[in-house]
Amino acid sequence: MTVSADALATELADMRRRLEALERSAQMSRTSIEGGALVVNDDAGSPVLTVGRQASGGYAVAALEGGQVIANTLDLPEGSITATDIQDGSISTPKLAANAITADKISADALDARTIRGNTIIGAQITGSTVTAGTGGEIVLDADGLFITNPDDNAQYIGLSYTDSEMGVGINLGPGLEHSGEFPYPRYAQSAAIHATVTGDYTDDPDGRYSPTLRIAAPYVWDYPKPPTGIAYSLMLLESGDDEGGDPKISLVTNIVDVYGRLVVSGRDVGKGLVASAMATSSSAAIGTTATAVNSASVTLKAGRAYRLDFVTGLSSSAAGNLAFFAVYHGTKILGEGYRFRTEASPVMDGSFTRYIRNNTAADVTAALEIRLQASAGTVTAYANTGQPRGFVLHDVGLAADYSFATSV
């Protein structure tokens, strides 16, 4: 069979076309790479991707110089992105749009002390007056607590901080600056204040609950003035006057009010109350002309303080007309005598008296405080029984300077 040159040329052209088509078509409909990687080159023959085993020993699709891996969805296993994977400045504002992280993106308790560390969030990265970085109006949250400063940045602040295991969490107020003008006038210099504002028409409430009132309660309950049944709590109310010109008042609802230090009312020290006492419920022995202690207790008289001594007793004697002499001693120092009581033998007569003493020195003085008794003749007896005890009670009544007439130690 003879083939013409034209037919042979046509057949060769067809075979070349078919061969080129075969070379360009997919050659692996089902295959695998065992422990290796497939390198993808660009048109210039430079590698841009590797598919398979990487230099680290793991398997992935990795981009080389000039290559890019794009995924429609991103499902990363836990721990796949670490702090070393995200470098400073790698996420900028255009990459993280407003509201990109919302409540449905971060679950409750997702951020805690283990995930947010010191200096992780700084003011320059959070705006909107929540956390600011300027010199004034700053909100600082650190190991010492939460502190809010004033815009002038002059050491005035409100702080909420943990004090210690005994005191717990407290509110701290920074000192104010010296004021000028009519109000507040210099009397309030260097002071910090908690202000209570009007919350309603106080004239509609006789208890004044709607007047400007600062309310401190522990634990928190709202019932006033009595707590709910079965709940023990303490309450302090600092209230304005009930009407124009009315006196402000402090209301305390509690079992015990402890005052450590001086208690001053209208500029006057009102004293600290009971200091010491010495009582007996039986009569003394018959006492003759030698002074003998009938009641005694160790007492510290504080520097700069004044005291009132109240002594209560009955008196009887061996014979009518005998005189009973009382004297008050603190250690070896006599602080005054009681009255000279005339007795009527067997009938019991009142022998009570009051004396004021003071320590106007610069040091405390501790010694036995004694009531001593003696007779002018015969014997006298300081009477007492269970229902009628005998003894003294000593009260702190204020500053020694306010009791110039008192006997000094």
Side-chain angles (χ1 to χ4, degrees), residues 306-309 335 354-358 397 403 405-408:
Y307 302 87
R308 186 186 72 243
L309 175 72
L335 299 181
T354 296
R355 287 291 177 269
Y356 284 87
I357 58 179
R358 67 176 184 166
V397 292
Y403 291 83
F405 59 88
T407 303
S408 299

Side-chain angles (χ1 to χ4, degrees), residues 120-381:
T120 300
I121 300 177
I122 60 176
Q125 295 171 329
I126 299 180
T127 59
S129 300
T130 301
V131 176
T132 59
T135 58
E138 187 176 18
I139 300 176
V140 180
L141 179 59
D142 56 24
D144 294 327
L146 172 64
F147 296 87
I148 304 174
T149 66
N150 70 331
D152 294 332
D153 191 33
N154 53 18
Q156 299 183 62
Y157 65 87
I158 299 174
L160 179 64
S161 63
Y162 177 75
T163 305
D164 54 43
S165 58
E166 182 177 349
M167 300 300 293
V169 176
I171 296 176
N172 309 308
L173 300 178
L177 297 182
E178 185 171 351
H179 301 291
S180 61
E182 295 183 359
F183 183 84
Y185 50 94
R187 176 181 296 179
Y188 301 104
Q190 303 297 332
S191 63
I194 299 176
H195 297 283
T197 57
V198 177
T199 58
D201 184 0
Y202 61 83
T203 59
D204 294 338
D205 189 336
D207 291 326
R209 282 175 288 185
Y210 292 99
S211 61
T213 301
L214 176 64
R215 185 178 190 277
I216 302 174
Y220 177 82
V221 290
W222 188 247
D223 293 52
Y224 172 80
K226 295 181 179 180
T229 302
I231 295 181
Y233 83 131
S234 296
L235 172 67
M236 180 176 70
L237 297 176
L238 280 68
E239 306 174 57
S240 66
D242 292 335
D243 50 29
E244 185 176 356
D247 292 331
K249 60 183 178 180
I250 299 176
S251 300
L252 299 175
V253 181
T254 186
N255 293 330
I256 298 174
V257 177
D258 283 330
V259 177
Y260 298 94
R262 297 173 53 192
L263 179 61
V264 178
V265 177
S266 297
R268 182 75 68 179
D269 190 312
V270 298
K272 301 179 181 180
L274 178 66
V275 174
S277 65
M279 291 291 169
T281 56
S282 58
S283 298
S284 70
I287 297 172
T289 56
T290 300
T292 303
V294 293
N295 290 98
S296 176
S298 178
V299 172
T300 298
L301 301 179
K302 295 288 188 179
R305 303 300 298 179
Y307 302 87
R308 186 186 72 243
L309 175 72
D310 297 307
F311 180 68
V312 179
T313 190
L315 288 172
S316 61
S317 65
S318 59
N322 290 349
L323 298 180
F325 297 88
F326 283 107
V328 180
Y329 280 79
H330 190 241
T332 59
K333 183 176 179 61
I334 185 171
L335 299 181
E337 293 184 345
Y339 297 107
R340 299 189 175 196
F341 294 93
R342 178 184 175 88
T343 63
E344 296 296 335
S346 295
V348 178
M349 303 179 64
D350 184 26
S352 303
F353 64 87
T354 296
R355 287 291 177 269
Y356 284 87
I357 58 179
R358 67 176 184 166
N359 179 2
N360 59 348
T361 70
D364 298 346
V365 180
T366 300
L369 182 64
E370 294 182 344
I371 307 298
R372 299 180 186 179
L373 173 64
Q374 71 182 93
S376 61
T379 62
V380 292
T381 300

